[in-house]
Amino acid sequence: MRLKSIFTNSFGILFSRVTGLGRDVLMASALGASVWSDMFFVAFKLPNLFRRIFAEGAFTQAFMPSFVSSRHKGVFATAIFLRFLLFLMAFSLLITFFPEPITKLLAWGWDSELIGKTSPMTAINFWYLDLIFIVTFLATLLQYKNHFATTAMSTALLNISMIAALYIYMKEDPKTVAYALSFAVLIGGILQVMVHLITLNKLNLHKILIGGWKYRKSKDVNEEKKQFQSLFLPGILGNSTPQISAFIDTLLATFLMTGSVSYLFYANRIFQLPLAIIAIATATVLFPAVSKALKNKNETEAYKNLNQAFWLLSFLLGGAMVGGILLAEPIVWLLFERGKFTQVQTLETVMVLQMYMVGLLPFGLAKLFSLFLYASHRHLKAAKIAVYSLVTSVTASLILMHPLGASGLALAGSLGGWVLFILTVKEVGTDKFMEIVRSKRSLYWVFGLLLFSFALYEINHLLLEYIR
């Protein structure tokens, strides 16, 4: 099941996420859960949304099947790259000159004064979107050659850039810190592009792009571009439900008490750690193999990978879910409670984290099963399932946000995750799912999770006595 590649990818993502947590620890100490932290998170929200959508599979899952089947891979890749890059650069220039409308879209609940203060940071951060598209495009070419380490590790460069900015400007006023972080985002993006270009050159993949540019007028790839276009928008929608849900949650959180945006951000950062290390790393490695197996009509090999990956994710994500729920307070205390991040803010973040963790297992398994929809070009069906999930999440958010606050928004996202998982399994094949779970491993999983939960409950009790 390509365990070596999965381990390599997981280790790279782990390193990136650990540096990300280090960044957030420093950020919490410097800004706490304040109006300036809320402003920066709103300004960074849109490019960060697209980073997750593009970098965590949506672009790749539309591009890879078309690229695999293309007769003129270089020309096709170059055509797609230029089309996207020119559009994004034009859009970024528009946001640079008119940042307030997009900022208002991100924070409906804020007054005009707060929107005006946040808008310049929105304009700065938005250029990261152009950089992350270049990174994602180059990463897809590397994945085609089964190289995952560079992409997995590269996010650490963004985090290291932001950590350096925090280290230098930690003692300055909050406004200076927020602007320093915004410029650090761009520096981190440039570093990510550079390491991908270096790796591309070492693997001689740059020849694909050079040849694509050279023969772009003599080779006809119109049909291949049409195929990609038919897959791209459904692929984006189908793969981005958690990110769109989190984006809407941030918007709704601006109507709640100060700090709500930050509680969601800090809790989501912890939630994303096991999701990325376990589920996204596994799905990223398996997708090229599943795409090639289904293209060659080798379904036996494809479903063998699914069976093995299902149990790997079930045990690891199940343990992480239980651990995140039961040990939420010690985790948040250890990571964030220092400087301007108070005990009250810890407890608010804990409730949000626990609600997010309810959705960890379904989101991870949905990521796995959706591979078969994308690899078999059923992007439109995946998009429809995602819409049902998103409608569930948004409806639940509107119902739960006032009685439960930010934790209600997190719980709504988890409910959407369960809908996404159930409908995705149904589309891939309930019979395939039942064939997998009719196994002794199901009993081991239930029994193991119960024992693990009991042990963590006792550990949590001891830790709370110590820290409180």
Side-chain angles (χ1 to χ4, degrees):
M1 197 185 61
R2 303 173 182 268
L3 287 176
K4 182 179 178 181
S5 295
I6 291 173
F7 175 78
T8 301
N9 201 34
S10 295
F11 178 79
I13 292 175
L14 174 61
F15 180 70
S16 294
R17 295 302 170 116
V18 168
T19 56
L21 284 174
R23 175 201 73 188
D24 295 339
V25 167
L26 286 177
M27 199 183 306
S29 180
L31 296 175
S34 64
V35 65
W36 279 101
S37 65
D38 282 1
M39 287 166 61
F40 172 75
F41 293 144
V42 164
F44 188 46
K45 190 65 183 180
L46 197 59
N48 198 41
L49 167 69
F50 281 100
R51 179 190 67 80
R52 288 182 178 176
I53 291 174
F54 276 113
E56 294 177 2
F59 176 82
T60 302
Q61 287 172 353
F63 182 80
M64 183 71 77
S66 301
F67 184 72
V68 167
S69 61
S70 174
R71 292 175 301 159
H72 309 293
K73 289 180 170 55
V75 178
F76 170 70
T78 303
I80 298 299
F81 176 74
L82 290 175
R83 177 177 297 185
F84 271 81
L85 186 61
L86 291 173
F87 172 78
L88 289 173
M89 289 183 69
F91 195 30
S92 298
L93 281 172
L94 182 66
I95 299 301
T96 299
F97 291 112
F98 306 101
E100 291 198 6
I102 195 72
T103 306
K104 183 64 178 176
L105 182 65
L106 297 171
W108 284 353
W110 286 1
D111 59 33
S112 57
E113 182 182 356
L114 202 52
I115 293 294
K117 289 180 179 179
T118 309
S119 294
M121 284 192 289
T122 302
I124 296 168
N125 279 274
F126 201 85
W127 282 97
Y128 181 67
L129 177 55
D130 301 66
L131 297 169
I132 203 60
F133 166 70
I134 298 173
V135 168
T136 303
F137 175 81
L138 298 177
T140 305
L141 297 181
L142 296 179
Q143 287 176 29
Y144 178 72
K145 290 296 185 180
N146 293 317
H147 179 89
F148 305 95
T150 297
T151 304
M153 297 283 285
S154 69
T155 308
L157 295 172
L158 170 67
N159 298 328
I160 291 168
S161 175
M162 296 175 74
I163 287 171
L166 285 164
Y167 181 78
I168 295 169
Y169 294 99
M170 175 75 74
K171 296 181 180 179
E172 301 293 334
D173 62 278
K175 179 179 179 180
T176 301
V177 174
Y179 272 89
L181 284 169
S182 297
F183 284 109
V185 167
L186 298 188
I187 294 171
I190 292 169
L191 292 175
Q192 286 178 273
V193 172
M194 289 174 62
V195 297
H196 277 81
L197 287 173
I198 292 170
T199 306
L200 200 78
N201 185 59
K202 285 184 177 180
L203 296 177
N204 289 321
L205 287 172
H206 63 287
K207 294 178 180 178
I208 292 178
L209 300 180
I210 293 173
W213 176 260
K214 183 177 179 180
Y215 297 107
R216 69 190 188 281
K217 294 182 178 179
S218 59
K219 303 293 184 181
D220 183 13
V221 292
N222 287 328
E223 287 301 316
E224 294 167 2
K225 286 193 289 185
K226 288 179 181 178
Q227 181 191 30
F228 171 78
Q229 289 167 3
S230 69
L231 300 178
F232 177 67
L233 288 178
I236 287 290
L237 182 57
N239 199 62
S240 58
T241 299
Q243 289 77 26
I244 296 173
S245 178
F247 176 81
I248 294 174
D249 285 348
T250 299
L251 188 153
L252 294 175
T254 62
F255 292 93
L256 301 175
M257 65 180 181
T258 298
S260 294
V261 173
S262 299
Y263 301 144
L264 287 169
F265 178 85
Y266 292 129
N268 191 260
R269 287 292 299 167
I270 300 172
F271 167 78
Q272 289 291 332
L273 183 62
L275 184 66
I277 292 172
I278 301 168
I280 294 173
T282 303
T284 300
V285 170
L286 288 183
F287 186 62
V290 170
S291 294
K292 292 172 185 176
L294 293 181
K295 178 180 180 290
N296 296 326
K297 303 189 184 304
N298 189 359
E299 291 192 1
T300 302
E301 179 67 20
Y303 282 107
K304 179 183 176 182
N305 282 328
L306 174 64
N307 191 321
Q308 294 174 331
F310 175 84
W311 288 113
L312 176 67
L313 295 191
S314 293
F315 278 97
L316 295 178
L317 289 176
M321 180 179 70
V322 170
I325 293 172
L326 294 178
L327 299 179
E329 186 170 349
I331 290 171
V332 176
W333 171 83
L334 176 65
L335 293 175
F336 300 126
E337 193 177 311
R338 60 183 57 82
K340 295 180 180 178
F341 201 94
T342 65
Q343 181 179 341
V344 172
Q345 293 171 345
T346 291
L347 296 177
E348 291 286 348
T349 306
V350 163
M351 290 188 290
V352 176
L353 175 59
Q354 289 173 327
M355 295 301 101
Y356 271 134
M357 282 296 176
V358 172
L360 179 61
L361 184 63
F363 272 126
L365 292 178
K367 190 85 177 173
L368 176 65
F369 278 89
S370 67
L371 292 183
F372 286 79
L373 299 183
Y374 295 118
S376 58
H377 294 206
R378 285 184 281 172
H379 292 60
L380 188 58
K381 181 60 69 173
K384 289 180 180 178
I385 292 171
V387 169
Y388 296 142
S389 169
L390 186 61
V391 169
T392 301
S393 177
V394 173
T395 303
S397 291
L398 294 172
I399 294 171
L400 298 174
M401 64 181 287
H402 288 297
L404 298 179
S407 59
L409 297 175
L411 177 59
S414 294
L415 293 175
W418 280 103
V419 171
L420 181 68
F421 168 63
I422 292 169
L423 295 180
T424 302
V425 167
K426 183 179 179 181
E427 179 60 30
V428 172
T430 307
D431 56 330
K432 298 290 184 183
F433 177 73
M434 294 307 298
E435 186 178 324
I436 292 172
V437 298
R438 285 196 202 99
S439 164
K440 290 182 180 179
R441 291 174 178 173
S442 295
L443 294 176
Y444 299 151
W445 183 80
V446 173
F447 186 65
L449 217 57
L450 287 174
L451 284 179
F452 191 55
S453 300
F454 178 76
L456 289 185
Y457 178 83
E458 294 300 322
I459 291 171
N460 182 62
H461 181 71
L462 293 174
L463 288 174
L464 289 180
E465 282 188 345
Y466 172 73
I467 68 178
R468 298 304 183 199

